[in-house]
Amino acid sequence: MTDDANRQLRLAIYALLIAVSVGTIIGRISQMTANHGKHPFMSANDRSRWATIRSLVDYGTFAIDDVIVDRRWDSIDKVYHEGADGKRHYYSSKPPLMAVMLAGEYWAIKNTMGLTLGGYPFYVARIMLVITNVGLLLAMFASLVSMVERYGRSDWGRIFVIASAAFGTFLTTFAITLNNHLVSAAAAMIAFDFALRIWIDGRRESWLFFGAGFAAAFSAANDLPALSLLGLLGLALLIKCPAKTLIAGVPGALLVAIASFGTTYWAHGSWKPPYAHRSDGPAIAQLDADVAGDAASQLNDAKVPEIVRSKFAEQGITLSETPELQVREEDDRWVLDDPVVDRRWALQKVDEVIEIRTWDRWYDYADTYWREGVKKGVDLGEPSRLVYAFHMLVGHHGVFSLTPIWILSVVGGVMLLRSEDRQWREAAILVATLTVVCVVFYVFRPLKDRNYGGVTSGFRWLFWLIPLWLMMLRPAADWCAERRWARWLAAVLLGLSAASAAYPALNPWTHPWMYRYLEYLGWL
């Protein structure tokens, strides 16, 4: 068979694999939404995003108060802070860029088909998930096909990589729900594709640099750890071709940065994302040592001293007669909440004085889930960093235990590191560095953040790396192609990975099969 005939056959097999994968996902989207009764949303995570999309189009605001009046639309993934109107409102805690983009899609559906998320949530959600998630997967598959065709060395190896992408990763699992990880992974795939064209193929077209910068920044804007990809890839391209990187690559990244920070400020009136608002704001007044002691005694009795009222008056704020006062004795701190003024402040004892500070703890509100003593289950965090690393890599949420095809990616990466091709060695070093940096970053997060991503079917905070791991899989797949036993071993690893990815077929926001089994055994 000629090379051209071989290529045409490979493309036909790719198309068949992708069609089966996409068709299965569309079927699951339809079945998933039909099985959830009164709303088509599967978790607090995606419901938080849907609430913003609906509020933007139906109410013209980022505040989700009017949406979550219907408790079926409520979510624990929200923050509470003062808005542009001077009143406090609930907002999604998710970065708003993705919601703004999808609000445009919802607006088009609403104004062309007459369907609203409030009136027809099942229909609108199905349409948007197919357009958005299937569209992202197709873009990702197209980029991957281009790369395996350019760099693959065997028919079997190329087909194995595409089959792994179609069935063996959690990206297809999460394609039935609205989430940022698929968006980030698709962008990372395209950024890596463009970068390899520059780095390996020696191409120097400006649009490749612009596209690599734009896609890497977009990946980071949707999944913060991917900021490491933007940094390392940008540095690599800057070394390779400084002029084109600065002239074309940097502007591509800046466009995304402007959109990301701009939508954050538009939504919240702050350049900082919601998760950065977890402490008190700046001090606006101070009770000196000579009055602080008496004031502290009254505050501990849940009384607002006159000296405190006078300090607020100096700031042009008149407190109501009966503001609410919460005593936080564990850290010499008091929370003053005035529902009439609709503002909140923190009073903090610092040495011998008491500072009155603006409120900047957006996750601390009346019915918050995120306060200590309220969180439960996996959200409490894993006390042992060693245990956390174990379960992240080879345990109940393990990258290698749930999807063992990545063992072949490690083998492929080692093969590239030992190869004589310097450019591929450098590509493998980049992927290995990104992986190690992200794993170490999460292992050394504080206790409250060591939670495996909440109730989820895989360690989702590493999903954006999947496109890079797929390209590291390629040399190992080509090596297996020459050995019958290795092909069978690779097929078994892919089968196990596909089983893990298929286990939460109708809701990826569930624990993995291994976690459930360990629970059944009583080990968790």
Side-chain angles (χ1 to χ4, degrees):
M1 188 178 292
T2 65
D3 290 343
D4 186 63
N6 263 343
R7 184 173 184 276
Q8 294 301 319
L9 179 59
R10 287 198 307 271
L11 292 176
I13 295 173
Y14 300 158
L16 177 62
L17 293 171
I18 292 169
V20 172
S21 177
V22 168
T24 302
I25 290 167
I26 293 174
R28 285 162 52 202
I29 288 173
S30 175
Q31 186 178 1
M32 172 271 301
T33 53
N35 284 346
H36 273 72
K38 296 181 179 180
H39 64 76
F41 317 129
M42 293 177 285
S43 75
N45 190 296
D46 70 321
R47 195 158 55 246
S48 177
R49 301 178 194 277
W50 284 113
T52 303
I53 294 166
R54 180 183 171 189
S55 189
L56 276 172
V57 177
D58 293 350
Y59 299 100
T61 177
F62 283 94
I64 59 175
D65 306 57
D66 292 327
V67 173
I68 63 175
V69 167
D70 181 347
R71 302 305 295 176
R72 294 171 299 181
W73 281 79
D74 201 1
S75 168
I76 61 174
D77 288 335
K78 62 178 185 278
V79 292
Y80 190 57
H81 65 82
E82 184 180 344
D85 60 357
K87 302 295 183 181
R88 290 177 292 179
H89 301 282
Y90 287 105
Y91 299 84
S92 169
S93 60
K94 304 303 179 184
L97 178 59
M98 179 180 171
V100 169
M101 298 176 67
L102 291 176
E105 186 178 313
Y106 170 43
W107 181 90
I109 292 170
K110 179 179 179 179
N111 286 277
T112 57
M113 305 177 67
L115 300 176
T116 66
L117 272 168
Y120 300 93
F122 291 98
Y123 291 142
V124 176
R126 286 179 179 134
I127 293 168
M128 291 184 66
L129 286 172
V130 170
I131 292 173
T132 303
N133 288 2
V134 172
L136 287 168
L137 278 178
L138 290 176
M140 191 181 74
F141 285 140
S143 187
L144 182 62
V145 166
S146 174
M147 284 191 281
V148 298
E149 281 296 302
R150 296 200 308 271
Y151 308 123
R153 295 292 179 265
S154 68
D155 292 342
W156 191 92
R158 291 182 175 108
I159 292 169
F160 182 82
V161 172
I162 299 301
S164 297
F167 303 107
T169 85
F170 282 110
L171 291 181
T172 53
T173 308
F174 271 75
I176 66 171
T177 183
L178 198 60
N179 70 95
N180 60 306
H181 307 298
L182 180 58
V183 180
S184 182
M189 177 76 83
I190 293 170
F192 200 50
D193 182 9
F194 287 178
L196 289 180
R197 292 171 191 257
I198 297 167
W199 197 265
I200 304 296
D201 301 345
R203 296 175 59 177
R204 294 295 182 269
E205 295 96 316
S206 295
W207 68 270
L208 287 174
F209 288 86
F210 180 88
F214 185 92
F218 195 66
S219 181
N222 285 280
D223 217 337
L224 187 61
L227 190 62
S228 56
L229 172 66
L230 176 62
L232 281 182
L233 203 60
L235 179 61
L237 294 181
L238 188 63
I239 294 172
K240 194 73 168 180
C241 190
K244 286 290 180 70
T245 301
L246 293 173
I247 294 172
V250 171
L254 282 178
L255 277 179
V256 178
I258 292 169
S260 180
F261 285 105
T263 52
T264 298
Y265 189 83
W266 181 21
H268 300 287
S270 170
W271 298 109
K272 297 189 300 182
Y275 57 76
H277 294 266
R278 295 179 181 269
S279 59
D280 295 333
I284 59 173
Q286 177 178 294
L287 305 184
D288 294 330
D290 57 335
V291 297
D294 182 60
S297 298
Q298 294 184 61
L299 289 168
N300 285 332
D301 291 334
K303 297 177 182 178
V304 181
E306 285 302 318
I307 184 64
V308 171
R309 290 182 178 275
S310 65
K311 289 293 183 180
F312 275 102
E314 292 174 8
Q315 301 297 320
I317 302 168
T318 303
L319 295 178
S320 66
E321 291 297 320
T322 57
E324 300 174 2
L325 190 64
Q326 301 175 25
V327 182
R328 307 280 176 90
E329 295 180 355
E330 68 279 3
D331 51 5
D332 288 325
R333 186 167 173 273
W334 303 267
V335 178
L336 182 63
D337 193 319
D338 195 325
V340 177
V341 180
D342 203 16
R343 295 276 296 280
R344 204 177 199 191
W345 298 270
L347 284 74
Q348 177 73 57
K349 189 173 182 181
V350 181
D351 296 327
E352 299 301 320
V353 303
I354 295 177
E355 293 180 347
I356 300 175
R357 299 173 177 175
T358 58
W359 188 256
D360 201 41
R361 295 175 182 258
W362 290 5
Y363 286 86
D364 190 343
Y365 48 87
D367 59 342
T368 183
Y369 173 75
W370 303 108
R371 187 182 298 146
E372 293 302 321
V374 179
K375 293 188 294 183
K376 57 186 178 181
V378 71
D379 290 324
L380 292 173
E382 172 55 58
S384 168
R385 286 191 169 90
L386 184 61
V387 172
Y388 187 64
F390 174 84
H391 284 302
M392 181 200 306
L393 297 175
V394 294
H396 54 60
H397 279 76
V399 171
F400 298 109
S401 51
L402 294 176
T403 44
I405 54 167
W406 304 134
I407 297 172
L408 294 178
S409 293
V410 174
V411 173
V414 172
M415 292 173 66
L416 291 177
L417 289 172
R418 297 180 62 183
S419 72
E420 297 179 358
D421 190 323
R422 181 176 63 85
Q423 293 170 324
W424 274 111
R425 287 202 307 271
E426 292 164 344
I429 290 171
L430 183 141
V431 174
T433 302
L434 289 172
T435 302
V436 171
V437 165
C438 285
V439 169
V440 171
F441 171 77
Y442 284 113
V443 168
F444 285 93
R445 294 293 292 162
L447 173 62
K448 64 181 180 180
D449 294 332
R450 296 199 297 270
N451 60 14
Y452 307 102
V455 180
T456 175
S457 53
F459 196 82
R460 60 190 177 93
W461 292 327
L462 296 181
F463 286 176
W464 69 272
L465 285 163
I466 286 175
L468 283 64
W469 295 343
L470 284 168
M471 282 309 297
M472 294 299 100
L473 179 62
R474 189 268 308 168
D478 285 337
W479 183 86
C480 290
E482 301 173 358
R483 297 160 178 84
R484 184 177 180 182
W485 68 267
R487 292 198 301 270
W488 278 106
L489 177 60
V492 169
L493 296 178
L494 175 54
L496 294 173
S497 301
S500 291
Y503 174 79
L506 299 183
N507 189 353
W509 300 106
T510 56
H511 284 305
W513 66 267
M514 190 174 294
Y515 186 98
R516 295 296 190 195
Y517 185 61
L518 293 178
E519 272 191 324
Y520 170 76
L521 294 177
W523 294 3
L524 294 179

